[in-house]
Amino acid sequence: KKFFNTLTLDKKLEDSYHLHKALFALYDSNKGIANEELSKAFSIIKRKLPSNTKDDWMRFAAVCTKLNHNQWLQESLQQSGYDVFLAPYFIAIKAINEKDEIGYLNSKAVEIREPAKKIIEMIRRYMD
């Protein structure tokens, strides 16, 4: 965290910067600050995951899940409307938290289900 705070902000990676700050807040169990930082990241990406920081978003979901903050992430996405804008990402995060992941995914339209399956694979790579 100390090292991170010494870094110079690269505008091309600003959403990633806020994701990291949100994770630091979650490590400190400060969901209020985590929500603020995630909202800043959302405002930067403008309704789609940028190709240059897509991996950071997958890593963010993986760490949130590992820290038992998957439900918080789902709620944050819903409250901001990003459950719709980033539907496959949201469905993937929600599916990871479901007891019957396959059944849950199969209940979704194929246009959402197939990208969500790929996103789950990417998230899980960071969870191992």
Side-chain angles (χ1 to χ4, degrees), residues 26 31 60-77 90-98 123 127:
L26 289 174
K31 291 182 181 176
F60 180 75
V63 174
C64 283
T65 300
K66 293 273 261 185
L67 294 175
N68 295 317
H69 292 298
N70 183 292
Q71 188 64 41
W72 167 84
L73 181 54
Q74 289 177 53
E75 291 167 6
S76 296
L77 286 159
F90 173 75
I91 295 301
I93 290 164
K94 187 163 173 52
I96 288 170
N97 211 39
E98 292 287 321
I123 292 170
M127 291 175 67

Side-chain angles (χ1 to χ4, degrees), residues 39-83:
S39 290
K40 290 175 186 176
F42 286 149
S43 70
I44 293 163
I45 66 169
K46 299 180 182 158
R47 300 184 178 183
K48 68 176 194 165
L49 294 179
S51 59
N52 65 324
T53 59
K54 190 176 185 178
D55 284 343
D56 294 334
W57 285 88
M58 301 306 150
R59 219 177 350 264
F60 180 75
V63 174
C64 283
T65 300
K66 293 273 261 185
L67 294 175
N68 295 317
H69 292 298
N70 183 292
Q71 188 64 41
W72 167 84
L73 181 54
Q74 289 177 53
E75 291 167 6
S76 296
L77 286 159
Q78 287 173 317
Q79 290 168 358
S80 64
Y82 275 82
D83 61 322

Side-chain angles (χ1 to χ4, degrees), residues 88-89 92 109-120 122:
Y89 183 70
V110 71
E111 305 83 41
I112 301 291
R113 178 176 57 237
E114 292 308 313
K117 285 180 181 178
K118 291 178 183 171
I119 291 169
I120 289 169
M122 288 186 266

